[in-house]
Amino acid sequence: VPNLVRNTVLELYESTDGTVENETSFDEMTDEDKCRLLSLQMGGAKMKQIGGAKVVGINFSASMTLEVREWPEGLPDYAHFQDETYNGQTRNTRAREDKKMPLVRYRFPRPFAINQLPEKVITMQCVENDDGEFRCYQGVWRMQPLPGCSGEGRESMRLTYAVEISPRPYLPVALIEGRIAKDLCNNLKAIRDYVSSDK
């Protein structure tokens, strides 16, 4: 992965079978609390990541501790805004008006997806009270099979990613925002090139 300086696994999480949704208090919880409770059943890892890049001639590095979870059946609907219109506003309107809204843990961004196709999801978010360069960092990798889109005996998969970041006040957001977007594109291309190559 471009610009990843160090990636250390601190803890592994085993997936468990549970009946959280059958608990009587589950329906009374907030959507974020439901998602947090369900996430505890998903496999994954706690990781310390340090990334680095040169931005306008200045070496920049950022660190964070992430909770990474695998959702083999995809995220539940309440874990993100699914509809084009929510509370009477379109996505574009919300994007313009919500720039100053604080990010909410366990309310993940939604990358492009075809709702009729199954999906597998990996979520990442910084741990609570992380001392890294971001107050909040949460992202979603979404994988969807694309039947009929590849040749005989081959399979195709759509991989999409969305991320929301709330940096600390001392970070030069205007300088690093474009670099983060560029690195994200480079990461997606590197994955595509790896899976497309003949091994």
Side-chain angles (χ1 to χ4, degrees):
V1 175
N3 300 315
L4 183 61
V5 176
R6 188 170 49 190
N7 191 29
T8 307
V9 176
L10 304 175
E11 184 179 352
L12 292 175
Y13 305 129
E14 294 287 330
S15 60
T16 61
D17 291 328
T19 56
V20 172
E21 290 180 307
N22 294 331
E23 291 185 12
T24 53
S25 61
F26 191 79
D27 289 337
E28 298 166 11
M29 293 180 179
T30 65
D31 289 345
E32 292 78 18
D33 284 339
K34 289 177 186 176
C35 188
R36 180 190 56 76
L37 193 58
L38 282 174
S39 76
L40 298 177
Q41 296 180 356
M42 303 300 154
K46 183 193 281 187
M47 306 169 79
K48 179 76 170 182
Q49 288 191 340
I50 299 174
K54 195 172 226 177
V55 181
V56 193
I58 301 169
N59 286 326
F60 168 79
S61 69
S63 68
M64 69 181 114
T65 303
L66 290 171
E67 177 186 292
V68 180
R69 297 284 185 170
E70 298 174 301
W71 301 76
E73 305 298 322
L75 282 168
D77 289 344
Y78 51 74
H80 47 62
F81 296 124
Q82 180 163 351
D83 301 324
E84 176 62 32
T85 302
Y86 182 81
N87 283 347
Q89 294 182 319
T90 66
R91 287 175 193 256
N92 289 338
T93 302
R94 289 195 314 269
R96 281 193 309 274
E97 294 180 2
D98 293 348
K99 283 189 176 190
K100 300 291 183 192
M101 241 174 100
L103 299 181
V104 178
R105 289 179 56 77
Y106 295 101
R107 174 65 69 173
F108 292 99
R110 181 172 173 80
F112 177 80
I114 298 173
N115 289 336
Q116 296 79 11
L117 293 175
E119 60 187 50
K120 294 183 183 207
V121 168
I122 297 173
T123 58
M124 298 182 302
Q125 65 179 339
C126 60
V127 297
E128 280 193 90
N129 303 315
D130 186 37
D131 61 357
E133 278 64 40
F134 301 106
R135 286 181 295 222
C136 187
Y137 175 102
Q138 51 195 18
V140 174
W141 289 96
R142 175 168 283 120
M143 294 151 281
Q144 289 189 294
L146 297 175
C149 291
S150 55
E152 186 73 29
R154 299 186 62 126
E155 295 180 352
S156 292
M157 174 90 49
R158 171 181 282 122
L159 173 65
T160 53
Y161 183 69
V163 64
E164 295 176 327
I165 300 171
S166 176
R168 302 275 182 202
Y170 58 81
L171 282 183
V173 176
L175 292 177
I176 64 170
E177 187 174 35
R179 183 57 193 240
I180 289 172
K182 180 180 176 186
D183 288 345
L184 179 55
C185 291
N186 288 338
N187 289 346
L188 287 166
K189 287 175 185 174
I191 293 168
R192 181 197 59 202
D193 292 345
Y194 177 78
V195 299
S196 299
S197 66
D198 290 330
K199 299 174 196 71

